[in-house]
């Protein structure tokens, strides 16, 4: 089975930074796009950022562009989300997910396309 584990969440003041990490099991195939989603209380889960399995392409939702950076180490089966200039509206549970997309350059944004999910890590930004 594929297992996905996130870490790095926590409490930070507005304007601060956090770095989230995502690790897939050692037996996971390399050819997965990796994405970050988040879900705040009372709201639906939304796409945050994604990176293709080749590492050549990234995609971000508009509200985090210029503030968040996604990266990956494909050989280590890891992905990272560097979050800066955090805002209270970024408060949510953040999930790492894997997408078995065929194209090495494609980043999809719909959660139904992602097959494997981590347990989530809480990010809280105080005002």
């Amino acid at each position: 089975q594929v297992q996905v584990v996130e870490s790095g969440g926590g409490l930070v003041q507005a304007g601060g930074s956090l770095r989230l990490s995502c690790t897939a099991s050692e037996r996971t195939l390399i050819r997965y796009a990796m994405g970050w989603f988040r879900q705040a209380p009372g709201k639906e889960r939304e796409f945050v950022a994604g990176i293709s399995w080749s590492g050549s392409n990234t995609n971000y939702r508009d509200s985090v562009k210029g503030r968040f950076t996604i990266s990956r180490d494909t050989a280590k089966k890891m992905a990272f989300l560097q979050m800066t200039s955090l805002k209270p509206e970024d408060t949510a549970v953040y999930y790492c997910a894997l997408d078995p997309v065929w194209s090495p350059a494609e980043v999809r944004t719909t959660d139904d396309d992602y097959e494997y999910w981590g347990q989530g890590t809480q990010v809280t930004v105080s005002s």
Side-chain angles (χ1 to χ4, degrees), residues 47-118:
F47 175 81
V48 178
I51 186 166
S52 61
W53 63 255
S54 70
S56 62
N57 289 323
T58 58
N59 198 356
Y60 301 89
R61 70 179 298 106
D62 287 343
S63 63
V64 308
K65 289 180 179 178
R67 299 190 297 120
F68 292 9
T69 302
I70 188 171
S71 61
R72 72 182 296 164
D73 186 330
T74 301
K76 295 181 179 179
K77 303 181 181 69
M78 296 186 70
F80 308 92
L81 186 67
Q82 180 67 49
M83 305 184 294
T84 62
S85 301
L86 283 162
K87 304 175 181 180
E89 51 262 45
D90 295 318
T91 295
V93 176
Y94 283 69
Y95 298 91
C96 179
L98 276 57
D99 177 12
V101 63
W102 180 83
S103 173
E106 186 174 5
V107 180
R108 298 194 283 190
T109 61
T110 301
D111 54 6
D112 286 347
D113 291 324
Y114 287 74
E115 185 171 354
Y116 303 106
W117 293 79

